[in-house]
């Protein structure tokens, strides 16, 4: 099994930046697609960004394109989410997630992801 732990959340003013990290355990990390999801109070969990197992492909929700960048370092078993130009609507708990790369390629559906972190709070003030 894979265990995921997020870090890097916090309070930031609108227009600012944060970088989230997700540290994974497991020897097969490089075989997993990794993604970031977020959930605001009273709302459904939504897709933010994901990256292929090799790091060669990434895909994003329209709401964050041009502002967020997902990356990974398989040697460190870590995936990152660089968040720039933050807006108040980015406020949410951010979750790291993983799935085996063979199934549901380039998925944006949370149901397709098998492993989840506990989440880290991101609050953007204005």
């Amino acid at each position: 099994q894979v265990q995921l732990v997020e870090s890097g959340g916090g309070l930031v003013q609108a227009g600012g930046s944060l970088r989230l990290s997700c540290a994974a355990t497991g020897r097969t990390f490089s075989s997993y697609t990794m993604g970031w999801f977020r959930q605001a109070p009273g709302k459904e969990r939504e897709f933010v960004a994901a990256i292929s197992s090799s790091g060669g492909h990434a895909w994003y929700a329209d709401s964050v394109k041009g502002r967020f960048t997902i990356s990974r370092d398989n040697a460190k078993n870590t995936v990152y989410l660089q968040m720039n130009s933050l807006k108040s609507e980015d406020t949410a708990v951010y979750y790291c997630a993983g799935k085996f790369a063979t199934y549901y390629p380039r998925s944006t559906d949370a149901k397709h992801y098998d492993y989840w972190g506990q989440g880290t709070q991101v609050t953007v003030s204005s």
Side-chain angles (χ1 to χ4, degrees), residues 26-33 52-55 72 74-75 77 100-101:
R27 297 180 181 179
T28 59
F29 176 77
S30 62
S31 298
Y32 283 81
T33 298
S52 63
S53 58
S54 68
R72 69 190 295 160
N74 286 349
N77 279 15
F100 194 67

Side-chain angles (χ1 to χ4, degrees), residues 9-94:
L11 175 64
V12 64
Q13 291 188 338
S17 298
L18 283 174
R19 185 177 68 183
L20 306 183
S21 297
C22 174
T25 63
R27 297 180 181 179
T28 59
F29 176 77
S30 62
S31 298
Y32 283 81
T33 298
M34 300 298 298
W36 289 94
F37 294 76
R38 66 188 182 187
Q39 187 167 20
K43 296 185 178 180
E44 297 292 326
R45 187 168 299 185
E46 66 174 349
F47 170 78
V48 176
I51 188 167
S52 63
S53 58
S54 68
H57 301 277
W59 52 104
Y60 300 87
D62 288 342
S63 60
V64 307
K65 286 181 179 177
R67 299 189 298 121
F68 290 11
T69 302
I70 188 170
S71 61
R72 69 190 295 160
D73 186 339
N74 286 349
K76 296 181 178 179
N77 279 15
T78 302
V79 62
Y80 306 94
L81 184 68
Q82 178 67 46
M83 305 185 294
N84 298 327
S85 301
L86 283 162
K87 305 174 181 179
S88 59
E89 51 263 45
D90 294 318
T91 295
V93 176
Y94 283 70

Side-chain angles (χ1 to χ4, degrees), residues 33 50-53 57 59 99-109 112-113:
T33 298
I51 188 167
S52 63
S53 58
H57 301 277
W59 52 104
K99 72 174 186 71
F100 194 67
T102 299
Y103 308 107
Y104 302 102
R106 302 195 181 191
S107 176
T108 62
D109 191 338
H112 296 161
Y113 287 76

